[in-house]
Amino acid sequence: MPLDSLTTHCRHCGQPLLGAATERGAFCCQGCAGAYTLIHDLGLDAYYDRRPAEAAAPAVADDADGADPLLGLPDAVAVAPDGSCLLRLSVDGLHCGACLWLIEAAVTKHHPEVQSARANLTTRCLTLRWTGTAAQAVEYARLVTGLGYRVAPFGGAGAGADPAAAQERALLRRLALAGFAAANVMLLSVSVWSGADAMGDATRTLLHWVSALIALPTVAIAGQPFFQSALAALRAGRTNMDVPISVGVLLTTGMSVVMTAQHGEHAYFDGAVMLLFFLLVGRYLDSRARGRARSAAAHLLALNQAPVSVLGADGLPQVLPPARVPLGATVLVAAGERIGVDGTVAEGVSDLDASLVTGETLPLAVAPGTQVFAGMINRTAPLRLIATASGEGTLLAEMVRLLEAAEQGRARHVLLADRIARAYTPVVHLTALATFLAWVFLGHAAWYQALLIAVSVLIITCPCALALAVPAVQVAASGRLMRQGILLKSATALERLAPVDTVVFDKTGTLTLGRPDLVADPTLAVEELELAARLARASRHPLSRALARAAGPGPVADGVVEVPGGGLRWRGPQGFVRLGSRAFCGVTDSDEGRAGPELWFSRCGQPPRRFLFADRPRRDAAAVVAELKAAGYRVELLSGDRAVTAQALAAEVGIDIVRADARPADKCAHLAALRAQGRRVLMVGDGLNDAAALAAADVSLSPASAVDVTQTAADVVFQGDSLAAVAETLAVARRARTLVRQNLAFTLLYNLCAVPVAMAGLATPFVAAAAMSGSSLAVMANALRLGGRKSPDGGQS
């Protein structure tokens, strides 16, 4: 609802009005007044209805120094292949989907020439595309800042500190305080319980007051995240899970103070502080999961930030940003440098690390006429390229767009407990109110007696068990998986893993170790292997290293010459010796049906010798695939490798469905097709080319050996060479779903039984608090069943 009704808080950002702020009317500063007016003039007042109460708009600071940091934005504008301008801005102050809607709607409505405005909550990035000039970027950025947000070029230094990181640090401090207080208050409570019969009233009251001295400041400080969220919701005329939690904590603490002042026998400071500790554990773990789930798109964009050397008309190299390289320009790529544009090799022969596109760790030999893509790494020799695409036209930029689209869809997932809380919270409040009114008007009880009964209803229905139902299971599952080297990176990963019915594996580095090994050949002589290994030890090529590894330690030949794209040449005592590709070693016969990479070895007077290599599957790949299929999962292999290689591996590990020669866009399209069929898809991959597919799947796993971009896109990362982590994670997720449902069912049953007792006035606040604590302990105990013994579905329970 609009904030017009608020008289003590800013109508835009919701902050309290203090001092001179009241002179500006219902706004805390001129910036907020301007932002509110701009939103109203654009007809976007629905923003205040869309945003959650706890995600208030950012306060707009007045510009004190008059400096305009936006004047340099045109330099950050890229020109797309169709001539349109594109700009990525880092936006400070994004809190919720309402912020995204407001910015996108304001820019597109106010500027018709803007073709698209897409904001990403995970990356806090705004991508603008328009027809016109680069100078218009300043106008668009000023509109966004006028709405109350700070902007800077994406990846630049002006974006400011990450508010999520500051919030996480504050949560950790409050968690530490609550844990310290809970331990000490519990020690005092144990003293009271153990000596209840022999302890005098004065001693018991003293211990209660000491507990109060510890608990009261702890509740005031550690409970702030819940209290602030509850107040924000109430100010906006709404409710959320934090409202009854705050009421329960405050009532428990307040009644404990009153009973202590009256020398009562019971006080519940330990319960209030312990409850805050458990709730903060869940909230901190959720914050950590979201922090680890920072966008893979941001990491992928960083791969294409290095300047590009362009050969000018005068023959001199000129350094340009990748987005400003004109089509048809000659680009110089040194050995070891990452390619910044898509293009065609014009001069030079080299080997490229093409894992970004193909997912294969073996180098790609390139020569004049070969097409290359941005993000590939030139390994051995300098190259000259003719640029065919740059900036937003490259394959790397397309992968970024795929990732951003997938992450936007993933961010819409809401935890089950949050969905239940939306209906649970108002029911609790209405029940307590109905109880109070019934006892006053129907039971003719005194108002304070009716209030005491209503308080008992509120305490006994405090959604502590509901609030712990999911986090408790998540903590138990996370701990169990972490002990096996499996890290959950997303707060919703377990919930999305449980309904999975299709598992899609990448090949290289996932089903296999991503490391070629020499295939044993009984006809190979030891001296022949040793001579080839002497050459191989002089090279860092993966196949050469595999050959040297198979031969074991030994000498290195002197004077070995490495020919880029060909192989190794050495003049030995008996003449020239070569180790390399088929053509380099003079082999003319064709064998297109061969599976796996190869090296040829030739020397004078001897027939050429062929060394075959294989990227062997992980030791338990076949067993894990068989286990998944036995559990009812559909298992597929989705690879960018050649069909003959992919099918050979699939047959070895027992996978029946194979799709090969798949580029990143092809993988995303296939996963989208599976999801369109109603399937819940788990993607397991490790390569750069798998990052978009990992984000596009319902849920994703990645080995710890994967590149940083892939690990960032994945929901779960597992360590070691075993694939058993895939089956284990799925089994734990299914078991966790069962326990969550049991917890929620128990919570519902508990309320159905306890609420009538409290409404009838048969439960004092002490009994209500004991029942509330007991329900929370029951939920925690049920969650702890997730560790230890073997579960019926194959996981651990």
Side-chain angles (χ1 to χ4, degrees), residues 383-397:
L383 293 174
R384 291 195 180 192
L385 312 178
I386 302 299
T388 58
S390 61
E392 288 301 307
T394 63
L395 178 65
L396 184 61

Side-chain angles (χ1 to χ4, degrees), residues 239-252 255 275 424-436 450-465 750-751 754-760 763-773 775:
T239 186
N240 60 12
M241 176 71 84
D242 292 328
V243 173
I245 286 176
S246 300
V247 171
V249 170
L250 292 176
L251 283 177
T252 303
M255 294 198 66
L275 173 63
Y424 179 87
T425 303
V427 170
V428 169
H429 295 156
L430 291 175
T431 301
L433 177 60
T435 300
F436 175 78
L451 181 61
L452 191 64
I453 295 174
V455 166
S456 298
V457 173
L458 275 177
I459 293 177
I460 211 167
T461 57
C462 176
C464 303
Y750 157 78
N751 281 285
V755 170
V757 174
M759 293 179 69
T764 64
F766 165 72
V767 173
M772 176 195 70
S773 301
S775 67

Side-chain angles (χ1 to χ4, degrees), residues 25 50 54 92 118 177 191 296 431 618 642 710 760 766 773 781 794:
R50 287 173 174 260
E54 61 271 19
D92 251 3
R118 186 175 65 251
L177 174 63
S191 300
T431 301
R618 294 177 185 257
R642 298 177 304 154
T710 308
F766 165 72
S773 301

Side-chain angles (χ1 to χ4, degrees), residues 241-600:
M241 176 71 84
D242 292 328
V243 173
I245 286 176
S246 300
V247 171
V249 170
L250 292 176
L251 283 177
T252 303
T253 306
M255 294 198 66
S256 298
V257 172
V258 172
M259 296 183 73
T260 301
Q262 296 177 352
H263 305 284
E265 184 178 352
H266 302 287
Y268 317 110
F269 298 112
D270 51 349
V273 177
M274 187 66 71
L275 173 63
L276 281 178
F277 174 71
F278 282 128
L279 292 173
L280 285 170
V281 167
R283 190 153 294 194
Y284 177 73
L285 289 176
D286 176 74
S287 176
R288 286 291 294 166
R290 294 177 188 274
R292 289 193 185 101
R294 295 295 182 233
S295 172
H299 288 259
L300 200 55
L301 280 170
L303 295 179
N304 200 24
Q305 297 299 315
V308 177
S309 297
V310 179
L311 196 62
D314 55 0
L316 297 177
Q318 178 184 7
V319 178
L320 294 176
R324 294 192 172 274
V325 176
L327 302 185
T330 301
V331 176
L332 306 179
V333 183
E337 186 178 1
R338 188 179 296 275
I339 298 174
V341 298
D342 290 358
T344 303
V345 177
E347 182 179 328
V349 176
S350 184
D351 295 313
L352 301 185
D353 179 354
S355 58
L356 179 68
V357 177
T358 65
E360 295 304 304
T361 56
L362 293 178
L364 172 68
V366 297
T370 305
Q371 186 177 14
V372 297
F373 299 95
M376 293 181 174
I377 300 176
N378 184 21
R379 298 177 65 99
T380 53
L383 293 174
R384 291 195 180 192
L385 312 178
I386 302 299
T388 58
S390 61
E392 288 301 307
T394 63
L395 178 65
L396 184 61
E398 176 62 24
M399 291 179 64
V400 172
R401 288 190 286 271
L402 290 171
L403 273 170
E404 289 180 336
E407 286 174 345
Q408 285 290 80
R410 180 76 59 80
R412 295 189 179 95
H413 191 88
V414 181
L415 281 172
L416 175 63
D418 294 336
R419 299 196 295 269
I420 294 176
R422 295 172 184 173
Y424 179 87
T425 303
V427 170
V428 169
H429 295 156
L430 291 175
T431 301
L433 177 60
T435 300
F436 175 78
L437 295 176
W439 276 96
V440 170
F441 294 105
L442 300 180
H444 306 289
W447 69 268
Y448 61 87
Q449 292 178 330
L451 181 61
L452 191 64
I453 295 174
V455 166
S456 298
V457 173
L458 275 177
I459 293 177
I460 211 167
T461 57
C462 176
C464 303
L466 178 61
L468 291 171
V470 175
V473 175
Q474 285 185 326
V475 169
S478 298
R480 160 147 182 69
L481 293 174
M482 190 172 295
R483 288 193 296 271
Q484 301 182 62
I486 305 170
L487 174 65
L488 294 176
K489 294 173 61 266
S490 171
T492 61
L494 282 175
E495 192 172 324
R496 286 182 281 119
L497 275 164
V500 162
D501 55 23
T502 303
V503 181
V504 179
F505 286 100
D506 174 49
K507 185 183 79 68
T508 305
T510 304
L511 281 175
T512 70
L513 293 172
R515 186 186 67 194
D517 291 315
L518 181 65
V519 176
D521 184 355
T523 66
L524 180 64
V526 175
E527 59 273 12
E528 197 171 21
L529 174 62
E530 175 55 32
L531 180 57
R534 293 182 64 185
L535 276 72
R537 295 186 185 105
S539 172
R540 296 187 61 83
H541 190 283
L543 295 183
S544 296
R545 298 175 73 174
L547 180 60
R549 187 170 58 249
V556 181
D558 293 330
V560 175
V561 177
E562 185 162 2
V563 179
L568 305 172
R569 184 177 65 235
W570 178 59
R571 186 181 182 89
Q574 306 298 325
F576 280 104
V577 180
R578 293 181 177 233
L579 178 68
S581 67
R582 177 182 293 260
F584 181 73
C585 293
V587 179
T588 56
D589 65 305
S590 62
D591 186 8
E592 296 300 330
R594 64 187 186 276
E598 63 179 7
L599 282 179
W600 284 85

